[in-house]
Amino acid sequence: MADNLILGIDLGTTNSLAAVMTPTGPEIVRDADGASLVPSVIAFGAGGVTVGAEARAHAVENPTATVYSVKRLMGKSVDDLARVMDVLPYDVTPGKHDTVCVNVQGRHMSPQELSAIILRDIKTRAEAICQPGQKITRAVITVPAYFDDSQRQATRDAGRIAGLEVCRIVNEPTAAALAYGLDRAEDACIAVYDLGGGTFDVSILRVSGGVFEVLSTQGDTQLGGDDLDRELINLLTEEIRSQFGAELQFPPATRQALRTFAEATKVRLSTEESATVEVALGGGRVFTRTITRDEFESLASKWVDHTIEHCARALRDADLGPQDIDQVVMVGGSTRVPLVRSKTKDFFQREPYTAVNPDEIVALGAAVQAGILAGIKRDTLLLDVTPLSLGIETLGGAVGKLIMRNSTIPCQAAETFSTYVDGQTSVDIHVLQGERELAKDCRSLGKFQLTGIPPMPAGAPRVQVSFMLDANGILGVSAKELRSGKAASVQITPAHGLTHDEIDSMVQESYAHAIEDLNAHRLIDLRNESERILVAIDKAIETSGHVLSDQQRQALDAAVADLKTKRQQDDCDAVYEAMGAANEAATPLTEAQMDDVLSQTVKGRKMDDV
Ligand code: AMP
């Protein structure tokens, strides 16, 4: 890596990460296991100070000496922090000049010093992938657009304490747009919606001739995924008290455990319809609660609505309407919450852009900015990109994209799929190129088969498909069933035979058919999901059908029949509703199965182990 290296750092409330500009484009700094996110958590233990995942793992046993969300404290006074102080298990005390300090075992540390510990760790991780002995001394650090002067100054100071000259503080939305290469869009208005762990901001940018203009920004430095966690913590706390007595106290370790459970539940509810929490309260008392996505969404709704109000304000400030926005970019881990995506989509009347990992975009953009400051020519970034997206055909004829159009090459991506039929011993891999949502509308690059998978129930095999696009544009595709180790691969030259005009027309077509394609894709997803539900209901009837009353059984049969009819039709909303109705009619079965699992779990263990 070059001597003039400048590190791009996304110093986040929940997670931090770094990226560097290389001759082939920005690259995320990863550890030996491929992990990029460093939890912004610091633990002060008997063995010394630890940062990141290790520190977070100690949070439950060592809550008062584990510091997280320190970004919330940067440049703030005690008054500013009244709303969050009571949920932080560590001790926040007034510091000098109306600032705050964290008291860790009698040692008072400023938020800048704490952030510096995280920055130093990130710097060390980045140096580990540099040439031996190379030191990194300069950085670009991103901050929410809403950060005021004192918060920006505090961030700069944190860098200095960590031994980094902070060359530039960049707004996170600008970095996100840079990472997407949106500086190449011609005269477009972009909304960057960034919902992280502790901050929200929305920025309206106009890009023209490669120049960004920030038309407006709105946000709230005290709104984020942590608020959704807190809603769940409050729900659990109230219910625990009503079950075990209002006088029940929550020691720091239990509060920290509740926080961990709440966040894990929220994350699970992004992909699952319900999640179960089990909290050991000591003395053999265990609290168990299943939370559904609907329940979570009704708790989360007011927070998401606040973000939408900010979006409306930002548009008003920019003198624009939702119809003037050409692209909506989603940034921050909390944009994985389905309710966040759907409400944003409804407001801006367009599908939000979620192609790049929402956790990594800002760091990538910081590295692009760092590259510009270091004098690394951006042309190299612009030239070495893949002109069309690459993916594989998934069940029902949809396309699962692994490498997005305009990704810098060389690059690689992997995704894990499963089977849908019991005992399936082979999987067909159909490699596709193009921007459309359906396989039939994309260019077929090749097909191969992974055979010899041992027979397993549907959903059990884990087939990892990996794409590796090298600097010459040669695509290697491999598929491996992770349980049995069976593997197969093929090599393809994707750009072969395509002229610039052909590429342009494929991209144009994808814009022209965007809505129709998305609906078709959604219908396929819904049909797949409803098939899964029907199979699950069938199995549940076999094992627990006896718990149903005649009336419940009739209702379930009717809901199943309706779902079977609706999934043959083309109306997404009707399938979605029928899926909900079938799930609801199957609730007595699900509950019976859960009771079974729970009683078996408890039977197998002593109460104190639970
Ligand atoms: P950031 O500040 O951008 O790192 O975002 C961190 C926030 O995103 C935290 O509140 C996480 O709990 C949340 N988050 C990360 N992944 C998910 C997910 N899959 N579903 C819901 N929230 C998530």
Side-chain angles (χ1 to χ4, degrees):
M1 237 167 262
D3 284 344
N4 56 354
L5 183 75
I6 304 177
L7 196 58
I9 302 177
D10 171 6
L11 181 61
T13 309
T14 320
N15 294 300
S16 298
L17 70 162
V20 288
M21 191 63 167
T22 73
T24 51
E27 239 174 57
I28 292 286
V29 172
R30 295 182 194 279
D31 65 17
D33 299 327
S36 61
L37 295 183
V38 178
S40 305
V41 183
I42 311 156
F44 298 83
V49 180
T50 48
V51 176
E54 201 184 327
R56 195 175 52 184
H58 286 125
V60 175
E61 309 103 70
N62 196 8
T64 55
T66 307
V67 184
Y68 61 86
S69 289
V70 69
K71 187 168 170 181
R72 288 197 160 215
L73 313 181
M74 296 284 274
K76 290 278 177 185
S77 68
V78 176
D79 285 349
D80 295 332
L81 292 166
R83 191 153 74 95
V84 288
M85 266 166 74
D86 55 339
V87 290
L88 296 174
Y90 53 83
D91 188 15
V92 181
T93 58
K96 282 185 204 151
H97 311 297
D98 201 26
T99 59
V100 292
C101 264
V102 177
N103 174 9
V104 187
Q105 294 157 344
R107 191 172 152 206
H108 289 77
M109 275 182 288
S110 66
Q112 289 90 319
E113 287 173 285
L114 291 162
S115 289
I117 296 175
I118 298 169
L119 288 173
R120 212 174 285 127
D121 186 78
I122 295 218
K123 170 171 132 75
T124 310
R125 285 170 200 254
E127 284 169 349
I129 61 158
C130 291
Q131 281 148 13
Q134 186 177 351
K135 291 284 168 222
I136 296 173
T137 56
R138 297 193 294 164
V140 167
I141 304 181
T142 58
V143 294
Y146 234 55
F147 257 28
D148 61 21
D149 273 355
S150 68
Q151 291 167 299
R152 283 166 198 261
Q153 193 53 49
T155 306
R156 221 176 248 285
D157 291 344
R160 195 168 44 82
I161 298 167
L164 289 167
E165 177 200 339
V166 181
C167 306
R168 183 82 47 101
I169 297 277
V170 180
N171 284 337
E172 288 160 8
T174 307
L178 272 173
Y180 266 112
L182 292 181
D183 47 335
R184 279 167 262 163
E186 271 175 32
D187 203 9
C189 285
I190 304 155
V192 182
Y193 176 106
D194 182 348
L195 188 60
T199 57
F200 168 70
D201 53 73
V202 54
S203 303
I204 310 295
L205 313 176
R206 167 168 290 137
V207 61
S208 177
V211 178
F212 283 102
E213 184 190 354
V214 179
L215 299 180
S216 64
T217 72
Q218 279 284 341
D220 185 341
T221 55
Q222 305 286 333
L223 167 61
D226 294 355
D227 292 302
L228 309 185
D229 299 347
R230 199 163 47 243
E231 288 290 340
L232 288 171
I233 294 170
N234 290 345
L235 173 89
L236 295 173
T237 313
E238 263 171 40
E239 292 192 359
I240 289 173
R241 287 217 163 104
S242 79
Q243 187 173 333
F244 294 101
E247 67 297 340
L248 191 76
Q249 292 300 311
F250 294 95
T254 311
R255 271 162 65 187
Q256 185 63 265
L258 274 174
R259 184 178 177 274
T260 308
F261 286 139
E263 188 184 4
T265 304
K266 173 188 72 177
V267 168
R268 276 184 54 198
L269 289 173
S270 287
T271 47
E272 284 164 40
E273 289 299 325
S274 69
T276 301
V277 184
E278 215 179 81
V279 189
L281 296 163
R285 289 171 303 185
V286 179
F287 173 80
T288 309
R289 170 75 150 89
T290 298
I291 298 170
T292 64
R293 189 188 285 178
D294 282 351
E295 247 179 304
F296 170 66
E297 291 191 342
S298 67
L299 294 172
S301 187
K302 69 172 182 218
W303 298 106
V304 186
D305 288 344
H306 285 323
T307 70
I308 299 298
E309 285 156 22
H310 283 295
C311 295
R313 244 174 265 149
L315 279 181
R316 258 200 313 275
D317 291 352
D319 225 0
L320 296 174
Q323 71 286 352
D324 298 315
I325 297 298
D326 300 296
Q327 213 136 38
V328 181
V329 173
M330 300 297 260
V331 183
S334 299
T335 60
R336 292 200 183 90
V337 173
L339 185 71
V340 169
R341 290 190 177 182
S342 63
K343 289 207 178 212
T344 315
K345 177 183 162 195
D346 290 347
F347 177 75
F348 286 106
Q349 297 159 30
R350 64 183 49 251
E351 201 68 43
Y353 201 43
T354 53
V356 176
N357 182 337
D359 299 319
E360 294 182 348
I361 307 174
V362 169
L364 288 169
V368 171
Q369 177 69 63
I372 295 168
L373 292 173
I376 298 174
K377 267 183 74 189
R378 277 223 59 210
D379 287 357
T380 51
L381 171 72
L382 304 187
L383 290 176
D384 293 335
V385 296
T386 171
L388 292 165
S389 303
L390 296 162
I392 61 167
E393 180 170 347
T394 57
L395 189 76
V399 182
K401 289 180 185 158
L402 274 89
I403 293 182
M404 301 306 293
R405 173 174 124 75
N406 278 344
S407 299
T408 50
I409 56 173
C411 58
Q412 53 187 347
E415 230 168 87
T416 309
F417 299 87
S418 195
T419 53
Y420 282 83
V421 181
D422 282 342
Q424 190 174 332
T425 55
S426 71
V427 181
D428 290 321
I429 311 281
H430 185 190
V431 185
L432 298 157
Q433 180 183 44
E435 302 316 304
R436 303 283 301 272
E437 295 286 328
L438 300 188
K440 68 179 175 51
D441 299 318
C442 288
R443 185 168 187 250
S444 170
L445 294 180
K447 285 184 183 172
F448 68 104
Q449 212 178 33
L450 174 61
T451 52
I453 302 174
M456 284 183 246
R462 296 181 57 226
V463 180
Q464 187 177 63
V465 177
S466 308
F467 276 29
M468 165 84 81
L469 191 57
D470 75 10
N472 301 314
I474 309 285
L475 176 69
V477 182
S478 61
K480 184 172 182 184
E481 200 291 301
L482 299 175
R483 292 179 198 276
S484 59
K486 280 279 165 198
S489 64
V490 70
Q491 216 179 52
I492 295 162
T493 311
H496 180 75
L498 280 183
T499 64
H500 273 295
D501 285 352
E502 279 170 326
I503 289 171
D504 279 352
S505 84
M506 285 171 92
V507 173
Q508 286 312 322
E509 249 175 54
S510 80
Y511 292 148
H513 296 282
I515 301 282
E516 152 203 341
D517 275 7
L518 283 171
N519 281 336
H521 197 149
R522 179 158 181 252
L523 190 62
I524 289 171
D525 287 348
L526 287 168
R527 283 185 179 149
N528 291 340
E529 179 61 13
S530 53
E531 176 63 26
R532 199 190 58 72
I533 291 173
L534 288 170
V535 170
I537 291 179
D538 255 2
K539 283 190 182 161
I541 291 177
E542 249 172 56
T543 55
S544 313
H546 58 276
V547 305
L548 297 176
S549 66
D550 286 350
Q551 208 181 2
Q552 284 173 328
R553 181 61 200 252
Q554 272 167 15
L556 180 60
D557 288 346
V560 164
D562 185 48
L563 179 56
K564 284 184 178 161
T565 314
K566 297 279 165 54
R567 69 186 294 279
Q568 302 301 333
Q569 299 163 1
D570 288 346
D571 181 348
C572 289
D573 291 343
V575 187
Y576 187 74
E577 265 170 35
M579 266 163 54
N583 266 331
E584 199 173 308
T587 312
L589 288 179
T590 334
E591 280 170 357
Q593 287 188 317
M594 227 140 48
D595 285 349
D596 270 2
V597 172
L598 204 65
S599 66
Q600 275 165 22
T601 316
V602 176
K603 253 188 248 155
R605 289 193 255 172
K606 289 199 302 261
M607 250 348 224
D608 288 348
D609 297 340
V610 183

